[in-house]
Amino acid sequence: SMADVEQAAGTDHWASIIRRAKKLDAEAFDVVVDAYGGRLAGFFRRLTGNGDEADDLVQEVFVRVVRTIGDYQEDGRFEAWLFRIAGNLARDRLRQRRARPGHESLDALRDRGAACEADGRMFPVDRSPARGIEHDETMDRLQAALLELTEPERVVILLRHYGQLSFSEIAEYMETPIGTALARSHRGLEKLRSLMESNQ
């Protein structure tokens, strides 16, 4: 089909961009940042409930990409590689936060999740007035509900949604059996659904 032809052409084009990025070509990096910056920002905002922290984490992902892209083996799975870096970074950040009691706790973040949402930066959305308010309210509820999940449940769901990683990739990344990754996703989505329904 035409879509397959376009996809193949797109894949070749993307492969050449990645090859250039591996040689630290600045223009190629701009393309990578444009392609993934928005999705990474969404991933981190949903994970942390904090717009500023999300923006810092996106910057840090790209710093790590520049440092480590030489090690990336071109296998058509750049996205999975990139989101693994994002996931590692998120895990480090959440660990640091637990290790520093003076730092904002996840409970405080939970309370702030809805507050951050109000500045409209939680999620890049189409801001047409008709959809705006209703959409923001749904996003508030989604953010609050996500922060009620356990961290592993939240990470699995977000890696699936933003990273579009397969369950086997998520399992490998989280160092768990695939059954555990599937169970966390299933449990997390069930919880999300009931939290969203009860918050209506």
Side-chain angles (χ1 to χ4, degrees):
S1 78
M2 194 60 216
D4 292 335
V5 173
E6 276 174 21
Q7 173 122 32
T11 306
D12 288 346
H13 175 62
W14 186 248
S16 78
I17 286 168
I18 298 301
R19 275 196 298 276
R20 283 167 48 206
K22 284 180 71 132
K23 295 178 186 148
L24 304 184
D25 173 316
E27 280 177 19
F29 265 107
D30 285 344
V31 175
V32 173
V33 171
D34 285 348
Y36 287 106
R39 250 168 60 203
L40 284 167
F43 171 77
F44 285 124
R45 282 175 191 153
R46 290 281 159 230
L47 194 71
T48 64
N50 180 324
D52 291 334
E53 185 166 14
D55 294 341
D56 290 347
L57 288 164
V58 172
Q59 302 271 327
E60 181 60 28
V61 168
F62 288 120
V63 168
R64 289 192 183 188
V65 168
V66 169
R67 279 210 307 261
T68 60
I69 195 163
D71 304 331
Y72 169 69
Q73 303 298 309
E74 178 51 59
D75 57 0
R77 299 294 301 140
F78 179 77
E79 197 164 286
W81 180 79
L82 181 71
F83 273 88
R84 207 168 287 138
I85 292 175
N88 287 336
L89 198 58
R91 207 169 43 194
D92 295 349
R93 184 65 62 103
L94 289 164
R95 276 196 195 127
Q96 280 169 8
R97 186 184 285 140
R98 274 194 224 106
R100 287 203 305 270
H103 207 64
E104 203 165 23
S105 71
L106 280 176
D107 292 327
L109 276 176
R110 233 171 243 145
D111 299 338
R112 277 225 349 238
C116 297
E117 189 74 60
D119 73 4
R121 273 183 323 172
M122 279 313 267
F123 217 62
V125 290
D126 134 27
R127 288 261 148 217
S128 59
R131 282 187 52 237
I133 292 168
E134 208 173 295
H135 189 86
D136 285 352
E137 282 175 7
T138 307
M139 282 302 162
D140 283 353
R141 294 212 320 271
L142 176 59
Q143 183 66 48
L146 273 166
L147 291 171
E148 290 293 320
L149 303 183
T150 67
E151 187 190 314
E153 288 165 351
R154 193 160 72 237
V155 170
V156 170
I157 288 170
L158 292 171
L159 285 173
R160 274 293 282 175
H161 179 71
Y162 287 102
Q164 284 155 20
L165 271 65
S166 68
F167 280 112
S168 61
E169 285 164 340
I170 292 171
E172 183 193 329
Y173 154 71
M174 295 189 84
E175 295 171 354
T176 59
I178 191 162
T180 306
L182 283 162
R184 280 173 179 165
S185 172
H186 182 70
R187 211 169 41 232
L189 287 170
E190 286 294 307
K191 271 198 223 170
L192 260 188
R193 196 169 294 126
S194 68
L195 283 163
M196 290 295 283
E197 281 164 9
S198 66
N199 284 343
Q200 266 173 12

